[in-house]
Amino acid sequence: IYFTITYTQRELIVLESKAKAIAIAGASLEKKATDVLVLRVAKLTSVADYLVLCSGDSERQVRAIADHVDRVLSGQRTPALSIEGSSSSQWILMDFGDVVAHVFRSDVRDHYALEKLWGDAKRVRLPAQKPSSGKPAEASPAKKSRSLRAGKQG
């Protein structure tokens, strides 16, 4: 019985961690982060349950993404335990205990390729972004042309 209770509590913690990881991803997307990825690493390491990876095109954008994530999560009473790399803003690591967020400048992310390092981790699907205007989002021109080509081929 003790094992069952402990296991259930662990699953509850992991669900809370997932919500936190998705909140971090959402906050980063609000600042136009690219290549946002959430990885479930709970079964692979004891360091964290989830990793959130995202990129910015410049040091200024990387800093803006990290600052926004910090503000949003602090507002949810989940402040970062530690933030490293803010001085250079090429790679900012944000430690939320059970979730670790990495905000990279795009070229730095390509160099370190953490996605490959954590290749065995399960990727978490992010909820669809809701348009802020209340209108349905239109597909980008690239997506439209791909879907038109696909329709003509079929």
Side-chain angles (χ1 to χ4, degrees):
I1 293 176
Y2 177 75
F3 175 75
T4 304
I5 292 170
T6 304
Y7 180 76
T8 304
Q9 289 173 344
R10 176 71 181 144
E11 286 301 309
L12 179 61
I13 290 168
V14 171
L15 289 175
E16 291 172 4
S17 300
K18 182 177 181 180
K20 189 185 304 181
I22 290 173
I24 292 168
S28 67
L29 286 167
E30 289 172 0
K31 287 296 177 180
K32 309 231 186 299
T34 56
D35 299 323
V36 179
L37 180 63
V38 177
L39 300 174
R40 182 165 190 234
V41 296
K43 294 181 179 180
L44 303 173
T45 182
S46 61
V47 172
D49 293 331
Y50 289 89
L51 295 179
V52 180
L53 310 175
C54 64
S55 303
D57 293 329
S58 66
E59 291 175 8
R60 178 178 279 192
Q61 185 184 15
V62 168
R63 180 65 188 192
I65 293 166
D67 287 347
H68 186 66
V69 167
D70 188 36
R71 270 194 309 277
V72 168
L73 265 34
S74 291
Q76 295 176 1
R77 297 181 183 231
T78 313
L81 302 174
S82 176
I83 300 175
E84 303 294 331
S86 297
S87 59
S88 71
S89 296
Q90 294 181 12
W91 177 359
I92 298 176
L93 183 141
M94 307 177 78
D95 182 358
F96 292 92
D98 51 350
V99 180
V100 176
H102 297 270
V103 185
F104 292 97
R105 196 177 65 201
S106 297
D107 61 320
V108 175
R109 181 173 177 177
D110 292 341
H111 177 76
Y112 287 100
L114 290 187
E115 297 92 326
K116 291 179 185 174
L117 180 67
W118 293 102
D120 293 340
K122 181 181 175 193
R123 292 178 181 227
V124 175
R125 183 179 298 241
L126 296 175
Q129 285 295 101
K130 296 176 187 169
S132 57
S133 65
K135 297 178 184 175
E138 291 188 31
S140 68
K143 288 182 181 176
K144 283 182 182 178
S145 64
R146 269 191 247 131
S147 61
L148 288 174
R149 277 186 259 135
K152 289 179 183 178
Q153 292 173 351

